[in-house]
Amino acid sequence: SPAVEPPRKRQALQLVGHEPVSLVLQSHTSRSSSEQAAVEAERPVPRHVEALLASLLERAVVTQKEVAEAAAAIENWGTKREGARLVARAWVDPAFHQLLLKDAKAACDELGIFPTFPASFSWSKTKLTVLPNTDAVHNLVVCTLCSCYPLPILGRSPSWYKSRSYRCRAVREPRKVLEEFGTCLPADVEVRVHDSTADCRYLVLPQRPVGTEGWKEEELVKLV
């Protein structure tokens, strides 16, 4: 077992801005509350999605079985902690760290992880780019158009990530958004906002938590 206990609160390095701010710690409780508040602030999703699906089924463009199989496949994405495994390996293996930043697909292949979408999906040629956080730079990802997300690695995107509020405010006032998540950064940390698209998905590589030197890879996976 590790020499030190896993921290119950983790340093959250996600804030943007150039004004002096104090560094705060983020608990799982406060994060969950913020996420739920963001979801509840959204209006119910319009029924046009259900209407479109019904129309496609009626015209035999797709079958109910195909829809069910596709939904089941999506539900299984990211359920084997693929993202956590990539991060933990990068923390303990410098060579893998460099490979992950240079060629994310090759790094995923080493761990037997499928980084993009199956060939049958229209997004099968989507590129995965890994963005490393450092003491000087922190990366923030958003999809301003819809909800582009590295589904095969992280699974289904959380509801707040897809909300109109997050997609607009992450670009317009990212500092306020992240403060609501209990996250602050020193003013000298540069924050780069990346807009995910149909052609490119992003995965942020966080910094290894202080106090985990000597931890085994399996132990680090549990922190991610």
Side-chain angles (χ1 to χ4, degrees), residues 117 143 147-152 154-158 161 196-197 201-202:
F117 299 92
C143 176
S147 59
C148 295
Y149 196 72
L151 297 173
L154 299 182
R156 295 178 62 184
S157 58
Y161 179 82
S196 186
T197 69
R201 301 290 198 274
Y202 295 104

Side-chain angles (χ1 to χ4, degrees), residues 81-95:
R81 310 210 66 179
E82 288 91 337
R85 289 163 53 202
L86 287 171
V87 170
R89 176 63 63 85
W91 282 348
V92 301
D93 187 338

Side-chain angles (χ1 to χ4, degrees), residues 156-220:
R156 295 178 62 184
S157 58
S159 297
W160 57 263
Y161 179 82
K162 297 178 282 190
S163 69
R164 292 187 298 273
S165 176
Y166 175 79
R167 289 188 283 120
C168 294
R169 297 181 63 214
V171 175
R172 187 175 67 249
E173 49 182 9
R175 176 176 180 173
K176 288 185 178 180
V177 171
L178 291 170
E179 283 180 341
E180 291 169 8
F181 278 82
T183 304
C184 291
L185 277 183
D188 60 350
V189 174
E190 176 189 356
V191 175
R192 299 174 183 172
V193 179
H194 304 265
D195 193 1
S196 186
T197 69
D199 298 319
C200 183
R201 301 290 198 274
Y202 295 104
L203 178 69
V204 174
L205 177 61
Q207 291 179 282
R208 182 170 178 168
V210 177
T212 61
E213 296 78 9
W215 285 33
K216 295 181 180 179
E217 183 176 335
E218 296 77 11
E219 296 164 339
L220 291 171

Side-chain angles (χ1 to χ4, degrees), residues 30-42 160 165 180:
S30 64
R31 182 181 182 88
S32 297
S33 299
S34 298
E35 292 178 353
Q36 186 59 36
V39 173
E40 292 177 352
E42 290 295 308
W160 57 263
S165 176
E180 291 169 8

Side-chain angles (χ1 to χ4, degrees), residues 96-184:
F96 184 84
H97 183 281
Q98 293 300 318
L99 177 62
L100 185 61
L101 301 184
K102 181 180 180 181
D103 188 342
K105 185 179 184 305
C108 288
D109 288 342
E110 280 199 12
L111 297 187
I113 293 174
F114 193 74
T116 54
F117 299 92
S120 58
F121 282 70
S122 60
W123 319 301
S124 60
K125 295 183 179 180
T126 300
K127 179 182 178 181
L128 176 66
T129 298
V130 177
L131 310 166
N133 284 346
T134 68
D135 290 337
V137 176
H138 184 83
N139 299 283
L140 175 65
V141 178
V142 65
C143 176
T144 57
L145 181 63
C146 51
S147 59
C148 295
Y149 196 72
L151 297 173
I153 292 179
L154 299 182
R156 295 178 62 184
S157 58
S159 297
W160 57 263
Y161 179 82
K162 297 178 282 190
S163 69
R164 292 187 298 273
S165 176
Y166 175 79
R167 289 188 283 120
C168 294
R169 297 181 63 214
V171 175
R172 187 175 67 249
E173 49 182 9
R175 176 176 180 173
K176 288 185 178 180
V177 171
L178 291 170
E179 283 180 341
E180 291 169 8
F181 278 82
T183 304
C184 291

Side-chain angles (χ1 to χ4, degrees), residues 42-53 162 164 167:
E42 290 295 308
R43 295 179 178 179
V45 177
R47 296 181 178 177
H48 66 271
V49 174
E50 294 180 0
L52 175 60
L53 177 57
K162 297 178 282 190
R164 292 187 298 273
R167 289 188 283 120

Side-chain angles (χ1 to χ4, degrees), residues 10-64:
R10 267 188 247 171
Q11 185 171 318
L13 304 176
Q14 299 185 36
L15 187 64
V16 2
H18 300 288
E19 300 176 20
V21 295
S22 59
L23 183 64
V24 301
L25 297 178
Q26 167 182 297
S27 69
H28 289 294
T29 300
S30 64
R31 182 181 182 88
S32 297
S33 299
S34 298
E35 292 178 353
Q36 186 59 36
V39 173
E40 292 177 352
E42 290 295 308
R43 295 179 178 179
V45 177
R47 296 181 178 177
H48 66 271
V49 174
E50 294 180 0
L52 175 60
L53 177 57
S55 179
L56 292 174
L57 291 171
E58 181 181 354
R59 290 168 171 74
V61 176
V62 294
T63 66
Q64 191 65 55

